[in-house]
Amino acid sequence: MAEKNILAYFKSPEQAEKALEQIKALKLVDSSINRFDGYPGDGSDRIRNPITGDFPGLGYLTLGGDFSDRDAAILAAANVSASGMSSGGQSDETAGRDILLTVVIDEDDYEQAVAIAEKAGALV
């Protein structure tokens, strides 16, 4: 039995779970749903006053990053997502897709599984 892998990016966990429920009717070998982020840590768990609060930097407040390296924190703060000055524009297909559905499926059902994921809103 030959297997193929699918990496499908969704905007919400509910979309990924809906697609996975339909894919489970096929010859599914393994699957997982995960949220991913480009920055380490959980960052701030409450809103703080940046004037009086003790916080490590802009990346911590706006990106939820916990940086062990000061240079990495400065670089992250330079990202347009930290300032909120850019939303990626109307044509940015990848914006907001931070849910990853990973599927290992029998080769015979690969095309059908991809179609299910795309119909559920995935970028495959």
Side-chain angles (χ1 to χ4, degrees):
M1 170 171 95
E3 300 169 351
K4 285 198 143 192
N5 304 314
I6 300 171
L7 299 176
Y9 300 89
F10 290 92
K11 292 188 176 189
S12 75
E14 294 79 24
Q15 284 180 314
E17 289 166 7
K18 179 182 173 187
L20 182 57
E21 284 304 313
Q22 294 177 25
I23 292 172
K24 282 182 178 178
L26 305 174
K27 295 177 200 136
L28 181 65
V29 176
D30 197 9
S31 66
S32 70
I33 298 174
N34 301 97
R35 182 178 298 271
F36 65 92
D37 189 3
Y39 304 102
D42 297 326
S44 181
D45 59 350
R46 65 183 194 278
I47 297 174
R48 299 178 184 187
N49 183 341
I51 295 172
T52 61
D54 181 25
F55 67 97
L58 181 63
Y60 179 80
L61 290 176
T62 60
L63 300 172
D66 290 327
F67 302 96
S68 59
D69 182 1
R70 187 176 193 285
D71 294 336
I74 292 169
L75 185 60
N79 187 313
V80 294
S81 297
S83 68
M85 297 300 288
S86 175
S87 65
Q90 294 289 338
S91 62
D92 188 357
E93 288 292 318
T94 61
R97 294 184 188 270
D98 62 345
I99 306 297
L100 175 63
L101 168 62
T102 305
V103 173
V104 179
I105 195 154
D106 185 80
E107 188 175 34
D108 296 337
D109 290 336
Y110 174 77
E111 294 297 330
Q112 189 175 356
V114 168
I116 290 170
E118 288 175 338
K119 187 175 179 184
L123 181 63
V124 181

